[in-house]
Amino acid sequence: MYVIPLLGIPPQVLFGQLLLGLINGAFYAMLSLGLAVIFGLLNIINFAHGALYMMGAFCAYFLLNVLGIGYWPALIVAPIMVGIFGMILERTMLQWLSGLDHLYGLLLTFGIALIVQGVFQNYFGSSGLPYAIPDELKGGMNLGFMFLPIYRGWVVVFSLIVCLLTWFLIERTRLGANLRAATENPTLVRAFGINVPRMITLTYGLGVGLAALAGVLSAPINQVRPLMGADLIIVVFAVVVIGGMGSIMGSIITGFALGIIEGLTKYFYPEASNTVVFVLMVLVLLVKPSGLTGRAT
Amino acid sequence: MRLHGISALLAATALASGFAMSASAETIKLGVLNDQSGVYTDLSGPGGVDAVRMAVEDAGGAINGNKIEIVSADHQNKPDVGTSVARQWYDQDHVDAIFDIPNSGVALAVQEVAREKHKIVIFSGPASSDLTGAKCSPVGIQWTYDTYGLAKGTGAAVTKAGGDTWFFLTADYAFGQALERDTAAVVTANGGKVLGEVRTPLASPDFSSFLLQAQASKAKIIGLANAGGDTVTSIKQAAEFGITSGGQKLAGLLVFLSDINSIGLKTAQGLELTESFYWDLNDETRAFSKRFFERNKKEPTMVQAGLYGAAKHYLEAVKTSGSTDADKVMAAMRANPVNDFMTKNGKVREDGKVVRDMYLFEVKKPEESKGPWDYYKLIRQIPAAEVTRPIEESACSLVKKG
């Protein structure tokens, strides 16, 4: 068989790396989506996002090992539980910071993240706990150019659906319209009889729930580790910045795109795979400071 | 001029008091510097600090009326953090010896600080054989293991068993590169071939890309020249991507008990690995481990067990030499044989390497394991001569070539 090398590498290797990039991109997209929702609608830079993602994974672990509740229910239950935790955070702490400089929210959520991670690390160490792939999604398919674990395929499809649903909810429904109006002009929206503070709390809960959902999805792939979010959150912030702060579709597309670029870097120059996202961020900020899809304010 | 005289006098008194420590009641200060929040926390971390504490308690908390104190710090796997802590400990806090320092990058940096200050540093966590090779120091000891021994243990065993083509996944810093280099040498010496390698950034959350490259190389053995969280992730994801079921075998070149605990036997079974300690080797190791377990709720890793032995040996040397002066203590540590629950007739060599036996283990199948922490089957005790770099091959400048 004669194979034409593409960019100097055989196509099966290239496809393999592209697909893996897409899988990692799915996590970036889901996490940055939650961040974008929270920033776009609440103006909070939520540094606790990584810790909440980690809590989602731990929640799935406990549901399985303490209560015997498996993966599928955990996909719904864990985001709700962590979402409620998020809403309590918003009610008791974050809401007092609205109207203040972004920096206050950033510091508060960063502090919360450190505390949550510290507590988990104290009890569960750093190496993490194993979470098995659900039986229905075990095994893999041979695609010819690579062996695709079914679970990874599921992650890409599922997170794509969740991302598009979230986008639809916020950009195309009446509820989303109210929400966006409430951020533009809370006083006016309140005058229409809409409970704005409650709406904001629910939105924060939604963003947090998305993080927890990504956590549950990643539990079978990565170890359930206290620092799993801390490792990811900085990259995810770069994704949000590149995509344009607060832009929903921007963060989805950038998430997937950066996953792919990172995947290719892992092949061509693996040493740089940790930094390529930040190099891109610098380049984008130099050319278009508001991000690829952001509007200048 | 007068000022000069006074400061010289002050310096002289300070120096004198350092030597004559047994005359007045001073504190002997041990510093434990390791990773307390990152990928290497579980293999040493707070448990490592506690192992040193156990050694101090067993020494009665004091030597010749001088109280023993322990300080500890997190180097965050950053050489700059590690060196600034070491400088402060040696200069301002009067720490007499620093212990552990997992992460060879940080360890190599602290080795230089210790050399400059002429204070003792005893490594249990870091693996790079350069610490007792090209970068050796008259005041540095590598206690528990090194990349040379790991390569000789696992590398030789796997190559001889037919794994004659290798592809390395290498952690991209001092440790991984040393481990890859030492293992590649052993593989080639045993008639094997290295087909390629990929350098992976420390603490990568995803190894699938790298594993795919290893798979494409068609090498029989994928050598994991990484440690801690990186090893866990790569073993787990290799299983996920069907690499192990596709006929390629993994060789974990540095695997700690804590890693196996985290991966689970189902995924880790059959893996061969080299360590210098396992809790369930004999009555003595079990007795120590029982004590350790009661305090830390987990069995000790070799790094933690090594820290106990290192602190014990250091304190005994302080006692016999009646001093905390680096040269005197080093001389006593070299003169005394190392004997504890883990080490039998060990020896601190002139290049700083502790000569000790190592063990080749295989990870048990889930059905062979009697419960938590029952993970290893002993395949072979490897005599020290096999797993220690011969002194005549040493690149260490302290070794007199004759």
Side-chain angles (χ1 to χ4, degrees):
Chain A
M1 193 180 76
Y2 184 71
V3 249
I4 308 149
L6 224 70
L7 298 168
I9 53 173
Q12 56 264 57
V13 178
L14 183 67
F15 288 141
Q17 297 300 338
L18 285 176
L19 191 58
L20 289 175
L22 210 58
I23 295 166
N24 288 331
F27 285 108
Y28 293 158
M30 268 184 88
L31 282 170
S32 58
L33 177 66
L35 277 179
V37 168
I38 292 172
F39 182 79
L41 302 174
L42 275 66
N43 264 323
I44 295 168
I45 301 177
N46 187 30
F47 247 89
H49 216 65
L52 296 160
Y53 159 82
M54 177 268 290
M55 284 178 73
F58 266 97
C59 205
Y61 177 85
F62 288 126
L63 284 174
L64 182 68
N65 289 289
V66 179
L67 302 174
I69 297 175
Y71 176 82
W72 300 104
L75 273 183
I76 298 162
V77 178
I80 292 176
M81 286 171 67
V82 181
I84 290 172
F85 175 79
M87 286 191 262
I88 295 171
L89 278 186
E90 201 278 333
R91 279 282 90 181
T92 54
M93 291 184 243
L94 278 171
Q95 66 152 326
W96 307 109
L97 300 178
S98 67
L100 292 178
D101 194 272
H102 290 323
L103 212 53
Y104 291 91
L106 188 152
L107 284 176
L108 177 74
T109 51
F110 187 52
I112 292 171
L114 289 180
I115 293 169
V116 170
Q117 277 163 10
V119 167
F120 275 79
Q121 191 153 38
N122 186 44
Y123 288 104
F124 305 105
S126 65
S127 314
L129 307 157
Y131 188 93
I133 294 175
D135 287 335
E136 296 84 354
L137 300 174
K138 277 210 174 105
M141 290 175 285
N142 197 340
L143 302 181
F145 58 90
M146 74 173 278
F147 178 91
L148 175 70
I150 291 173
Y151 187 79
R152 300 247 178 177
W154 151 256
V155 166
V156 175
V157 175
F158 183 74
S159 48
L160 201 56
I161 293 171
V162 170
C163 285
L164 292 177
L165 278 180
T166 313
W167 171 81
F168 186 79
L169 177 76
I170 289 170
E171 301 285 347
R172 290 287 181 274
T173 63
R174 175 143 197 99
L175 181 73
N178 285 344
L179 210 59
R180 281 175 290 135
T183 23
E184 283 295 319
N185 193 337
T187 328
L188 192 67
V189 175
R190 228 177 259 185
F192 284 112
I194 291 170
N195 186 341
V196 173
R198 190 181 65 193
M199 210 151 154
I200 288 186
T201 308
L202 286 173
T203 311
Y204 188 75
L206 170 73
V208 169
L210 282 171
L213 185 60
V216 179
L217 280 179
S218 86
I221 293 184
N222 302 304
Q223 292 287 98
V224 179
R225 287 184 302 122
L227 291 181
M228 60 194 287
D231 294 343
L232 216 56
I233 191 70
I234 305 295
V235 177
V236 172
F237 263 102
V239 172
V240 174
V241 171
I242 294 172
M245 292 294 278
S247 155
I248 309 271
M249 198 40 111
S251 61
I252 298 175
I253 294 170
T254 323
F256 279 101
L258 282 185
I260 289 173
I261 290 171
E262 202 188 53
L264 289 177
T265 316
K266 278 180 178 164
Y267 182 80
F268 286 110
Y269 190 58
E271 289 89 338
S273 57
N274 265 12
T275 40
V276 62
V277 170
F278 303 103
V279 174
L280 278 172
M281 183 178 86
V282 171
L283 291 178
V284 168
L285 288 181
L286 281 175
V287 179
K288 202 160 180 292
S290 53
L292 288 178
T293 56
R295 286 159 299 204
T297 46
Chain B
M1 226 33 226
R2 270 190 66 145
L3 211 69
H4 246 104
I6 292 170
S7 54
L9 194 73
L10 275 176
T13 359
L15 216 64
S17 67
F19 281 108
M21 143 250 138
S22 53
S24 62
E26 281 192 24
T27 44
I28 301 161
K29 234 181 192 176
L30 313 183
V32 186
L33 180 59
N34 60 21
D35 180 2
Q36 312 217 343
S37 56
V39 280
Y40 299 150
T41 311
D42 282 354
L43 62 91
S44 186
V49 180
D50 194 52
V52 172
R53 195 174 296 123
M54 285 168 76
V56 170
E57 285 168 15
D58 290 351
I63 292 172
N64 303 335
N66 300 298
K67 209 170 148 275
I68 310 166
E69 244 180 56
I70 300 174
V71 286
S72 66
D74 183 358
H75 63 41
Q76 301 168 26
N77 291 310
K78 293 176 186 147
D80 54 329
V81 175
T83 47
S84 62
V85 171
R87 272 174 208 286
Q88 192 194 326
W89 276 359
Y90 285 143
D91 283 344
Q92 282 143 44
D93 301 343
H94 307 292
V95 168
D96 296 298
I98 298 182
F99 290 81
D100 204 6
I101 324 189
N103 186 321
S104 298
V106 182
L108 284 162
V110 172
Q111 173 98 312
E112 295 315 312
V113 176
R115 189 199 310 277
E116 177 195 325
K117 310 282 176 201
H118 206 68
K119 294 272 194 170
I120 292 175
V121 57
I122 303 181
F123 303 107
S124 184
S128 171
S129 60
D130 290 341
L131 285 166
T132 51
K135 300 280 159 57
C136 73
S137 149
V139 285
I141 295 178
Q142 191 166 25
W143 191 268
T144 307
Y145 71 107
D146 70 353
T147 50
Y148 185 93
L150 297 171
K152 280 284 186 176
T154 315
V158 171
T159 313
K160 279 180 195 154
D164 53 4
T165 48
W166 285 63
F167 187 95
F168 287 104
L169 296 194
T170 306
D172 190 23
Y173 74 103
F175 149 70
Q177 290 159 12
L179 187 50
E180 182 200 309
R181 178 197 66 207
D182 290 351
T183 312
V186 171
V187 168
T188 328
N190 283 286
K193 226 174 111 188
V194 177
L195 301 182
E197 80 285 315
V198 54
R199 300 276 165 88
T200 70
L202 180 63
S204 289
D206 185 72
F207 273 79
S208 43
S209 261
F210 309 128
L211 286 163
L212 223 62
Q213 297 175 44
Q215 191 174 34
S217 77
K218 306 255 184 339
K220 285 185 200 161
I221 305 293
I222 300 173
L224 305 176
N226 50 23
D230 284 348
T231 311
V232 172
T233 314
S234 33
I235 292 175
K236 210 176 143 134
Q237 294 182 348
E240 192 194 345
F241 278 84
I243 286 178
T244 20
S245 56
Q248 283 174 307
K249 266 187 85 173
L250 295 179
L253 297 171
L254 174 52
V255 183
F256 295 97
L257 189 68
S258 48
D259 300 334
I260 301 297
N261 188 50
S262 172
I263 301 167
L265 290 182
K266 204 160 166 276
T267 310
Q269 57 181 307
L271 200 68
E272 283 185 359
L273 52 99
T274 305
E275 292 214 55
S276 58
F277 171 82
Y278 175 52
W279 68 272
D280 200 9
L281 273 177
N282 54 49
D283 286 344
E284 274 183 280
T285 58
R286 279 187 286 272
F288 169 80
S289 304
K290 189 158 173 276
R291 273 179 69 205
F292 186 89
F293 191 91
E294 276 160 10
R295 301 161 67 119
N296 293 285
K297 304 292 161 239
K298 45 184 152 189
E299 298 292 351
T301 63
M302 67 168 164
V303 173
Q304 291 160 340
L307 277 170
Y308 175 92
K312 177 173 177 280
H313 194 67
Y314 172 82
L315 292 172
E316 282 168 2
V318 169
K319 194 169 184 177
T320 47
S321 65
S323 168
T324 51
D325 171 63
D327 289 325
K328 288 182 190 167
V329 177
M330 282 301 290
M333 279 201 284
R334 290 207 175 93
N336 303 343
V338 184
N339 271 308
D340 55 53
F341 64 88
M342 163 181 179
T343 318
K344 293 292 165 237
N345 289 318
K347 182 182 179 308
V348 181
R349 219 164 56 169
E350 56 202 292
D351 57 356
K353 172 85 186 87
V354 170
V355 181
R356 63 165 69 254
D357 292 355
M358 302 278 282
Y359 305 89
L360 184 65
F361 296 108
E362 186 185 311
V363 177
K364 288 184 174 178
K365 295 189 176 65
E367 59 270 22
E368 292 170 324
S369 168
K370 288 196 281 291
W373 301 104
D374 181 20
Y375 298 151
Y376 293 175
K377 269 189 301 208
L378 178 66
I379 298 183
R380 183 166 98 89
Q381 178 164 359
I382 317 170
E386 261 183 64
V387 283
T388 317
R389 181 168 39 210
I391 195 84
E392 56 278 6
E393 283 174 27
S394 177
C396 173
S397 57
L398 298 168
V399 176
K400 291 173 201 73
K401 298 266 160 73

